Amino acid sequence: MASVLPVLAKATVLIVDDDPDVLLALAVLLQPLVSQVTTEKNPERMPTLLRQMRFDVVLLDMNYQRARNTGNEGFYWLAQLRQLAPSTAVVLMTAYGDIDLAVRALKEGARDFVVKPWRNEKLVAALTEALGRTSGTGATPTQSASGTAALIGESDAMQAVRYKLEKIAATDANVLILGENGTGKDVVARLLHHLSPRAAAPFVAVDLGAVTESLFESELFGHLKGAFTDARQDRPGRFEAAQGGTLFLDEIGNLPLPQQVKLLAVLQNRQVTRLGSNAPVPIDVRVVSATNAPLYQLAAEDRFRKDLVYRLNTIEITLPPLRERGDDVELLAHYFTAHYAEKYRKADLTLTPSALGRLRAHPFPGNVRELQHTLERAVIMAESVTLRAEDLLFSALESTVPVAAPLRLDELEKSAIQRVIDKYQGNISQAARELGITRMALYRRLGKHNI
């Protein structure tokens, strides 16, 4: 716990809970670590306390005397805190661990969410991270606009995702996350870590699409000084850096076969050997992987090892594209509009029916990320308190389909791809070259059109 002490040392903490035993236990835990701890049993006294003193963080129970199991009072007082002390970090507590409550808490401005009975290390880490985010020194794995928004939604598809998260977050099972670009795979990986017993340990992300073959072993497994020309000192790899925590392997579908073999050996043996060393290092990490590539098709074509797929996907989560999430588009649109209106100090902005209609009609090939960028631009350029359809400009980076004739152009794309595939008798490399796209982009389109 010593590593978190410098961050907490100057902090003033307010704990609000109707259980005297909880207040005493938290005060005993935190008093040696922080500058000052104030405890309060009655949440009605919070406004007075906030006027009398500035608190860096409030640890707030979600259930008091009324509606004890719903968390409604916690959300009410969270909203009050956001108004009365917007710079104060809020960490919510409840005895009723529920993924929907956690996501809603983060959406409505909480820095973190702790389930009772808590583990001391995890609670202290949550407070430390919350303070770091407030001061700008910490990471924000679930509190960014895109991170919070990724799981907003009431569609059946998102309910299924949340159900799986609730079931698997507390386990050590390896997870494979599938989905198109922009659907929030990295955010789900961070949330899995955040809600797991490993939350106080490191979350280490590796973009395998950006790791060259020559540096793969050094990057993931580490090296000793002198192992190769530029190895000027010993360096642990990402597996060792994630010890006790979660290792997120993004773009796993880009991994070449020789590197797949090396990764498989590490996952099977639960140990790594640094370059230049013969001494294996035991590892204790949970591996979460993600890809937008057609992994099963690659495995069927012997371009991705089936045994590695089995190692990676003890549990599989498929994130739905935004175009299949129905009314979630409107929920996300309202969220992003409010978020960026606050960020850019605009008046309370609203979306007109025409703007919402345009958003509902757009196919969003860039998914949640594209929607976020569209609304950020619209808020920045807004000249009134309403956003109209004409204020929404969609990204030219995506191969979007005009709203007027989405099906017809979709069919044209499918037909063009089919002709080129037939021309080269299924040779993906040659077909991609003629179409002017990458092989991975062609695979995505093949999956999209069921070719």
Side-chain angles (χ1 to χ4, degrees):
M1 203 179 292
S3 62
V4 301
L5 296 182
V7 181
L8 289 174
K10 297 181 180 180
T12 53
V13 180
L14 171 62
I15 307 169
V16 185
D17 195 296
D18 62 344
D19 187 334
D21 292 335
V22 169
L23 294 177
L24 177 61
L26 289 172
V28 170
L29 170 66
L30 295 177
Q31 278 173 347
L33 306 178
V34 304
S35 173
Q36 181 174 338
V37 175
T38 302
T39 60
E40 177 54 55
K41 185 176 180 180
N42 182 5
E44 303 283 348
R45 292 205 65 244
M46 272 198 297
T48 301
L49 290 171
L50 291 167
R51 283 193 293 269
Q52 294 173 346
M53 181 177 178
R54 180 189 176 280
F55 294 97
D56 297 304
V57 62
V58 175
L59 193 56
L60 177 68
D61 188 29
M62 296 186 71
N63 297 301
Y64 296 89
Q65 297 303 320
R66 306 185 307 275
R68 180 171 292 273
N69 297 347
T70 66
N72 288 339
E73 287 187 308
F75 289 121
Y76 169 79
W77 287 111
L78 172 61
Q80 296 300 305
L81 280 166
R82 295 275 287 165
Q83 290 184 1
L84 295 169
S87 63
T88 296
V90 181
V91 175
L92 293 179
M93 298 187 298
T94 182
Y96 303 91
D98 182 277
I99 188 68
D100 288 323
L101 285 181
V103 172
R104 182 182 168 194
L106 295 171
K107 171 188 171 185
E108 296 191 12
R111 289 288 192 268
D112 213 331
F113 182 95
V114 176
V115 178
K116 300 175 184 175
W118 64 85
R119 289 168 49 213
N120 287 347
E121 295 83 357
K122 186 172 182 179
L123 187 142
V124 172
L127 293 177
T128 304
E129 189 173 349
L131 288 164
R133 295 178 203 169
T134 303
S135 64
T137 60
T140 58
T142 53
Q143 187 58 26
S144 67
S146 58
T148 303
L151 294 183
I152 292 174
E154 299 302 326
S155 62
D156 290 344
M158 291 310 297
Q159 296 282 16
V161 169
R162 285 200 289 266
Y163 175 78
K164 276 195 173 182
L165 278 172
E166 186 177 55
K167 287 290 186 182
I168 66 179
T171 74
D172 271 342
N174 289 343
V175 180
L176 175 63
I177 306 171
L178 303 175
E180 298 178 6
N181 280 332
T183 50
K185 297 185 293 296
D186 59 330
V187 175
V188 170
R190 291 178 184 276
L191 190 56
L192 275 169
H193 173 74
H194 186 72
L195 297 174
S196 78
R198 295 175 177 267
F203 175 91
V204 177
V206 186
D207 181 357
L208 293 176
V211 178
T212 63
E213 292 187 34
S214 61
L215 292 177
F216 173 81
E217 289 185 77
S218 172
E219 190 69 24
L220 266 71
F221 311 145
H223 63 254
L224 297 185
K225 180 180 179 181
F228 51 88
T229 303
D230 292 325
R232 296 185 176 89
Q233 58 186 10
D234 292 355
R235 180 180 181 274
R238 299 298 183 94
F239 271 97
E240 288 185 67
Q243 192 73 273
T246 302
L247 179 65
F248 176 44
L249 301 177
D250 200 6
E251 302 295 349
I252 191 73
N254 291 340
L255 198 61
L257 280 169
Q259 278 66 52
Q260 292 176 31
V261 175
K262 295 169 183 174
L263 176 59
L264 177 63
V266 168
L267 296 180
Q268 288 176 332
N269 300 325
R270 309 298 296 176
Q271 60 185 26
V272 296
T273 302
R274 295 186 187 183
L275 283 175
S277 171
N278 293 319
V281 179
I283 54 167
D284 171 26
V285 299
R286 182 190 201 175
V287 176
V288 179
S289 308
T291 183
N292 60 4
L295 204 58
Y296 295 106
Q297 183 176 339
L298 294 176
E301 296 173 357
D302 294 326
R303 291 187 292 127
F304 200 93
R305 295 183 62 98
K306 293 183 179 68
D307 45 3
L308 180 55
V309 174
Y310 289 128
R311 284 284 176 182
L312 295 172
N313 78 334
T314 304
I315 301 291
E316 182 180 302
I317 296 177
T318 300
L319 297 183
L322 189 53
R323 61 184 172 275
E324 295 178 4
R325 291 176 55 181
D327 293 339
D328 288 356
V329 173
E330 291 192 19
L331 295 176
L332 287 161
H334 288 303
Y335 170 81
F336 283 130
T337 300
H339 174 83
Y340 287 116
E342 179 182 359
K343 178 178 179 178
Y344 295 113
R345 297 180 176 84
K346 297 271 186 170
D348 290 337
L349 292 173
T350 58
L351 290 154
T352 63
S354 67
L356 289 172
R358 184 170 188 187
L359 292 173
R360 286 293 302 269
H362 187 66
F364 285 105
N367 292 295
V368 177
R369 187 182 298 129
E370 183 185 359
L371 174 62
Q372 176 187 355
H373 292 170
T374 297
L375 287 166
E376 182 175 14
R377 285 194 299 269
V379 169
I380 290 171
M381 300 302 294
E383 295 181 354
S384 70
V385 295
T386 59
L387 295 180
R388 302 161 299 169
E390 52 266 36
D391 296 322
L392 303 173
L393 302 176
F394 300 116
S395 175
L397 293 173
E398 307 288 349
S399 58
T400 57
V401 180
V403 173
L407 294 177
R408 183 172 62 83
L409 290 182
D410 224 34
E411 292 166 359
L412 287 173
E413 182 185 70
K414 180 178 180 179
S415 177
I417 291 173
Q418 186 68 68
R419 285 199 305 272
V420 176
I421 290 290
D422 292 341
K423 175 181 176 180
Y424 291 104
Q425 299 179 326
N427 187 306
I428 298 298
S429 296
Q430 291 180 331
R433 193 176 301 115
E434 177 157 328
L435 290 167
I437 58 178
T438 66
R439 292 168 68 248
M440 297 312 301
L442 178 53
Y443 274 121
R444 287 196 292 272
R445 285 165 173 78
L446 291 174
K448 170 186 172 184
H449 295 299
N450 294 318
I451 297 177

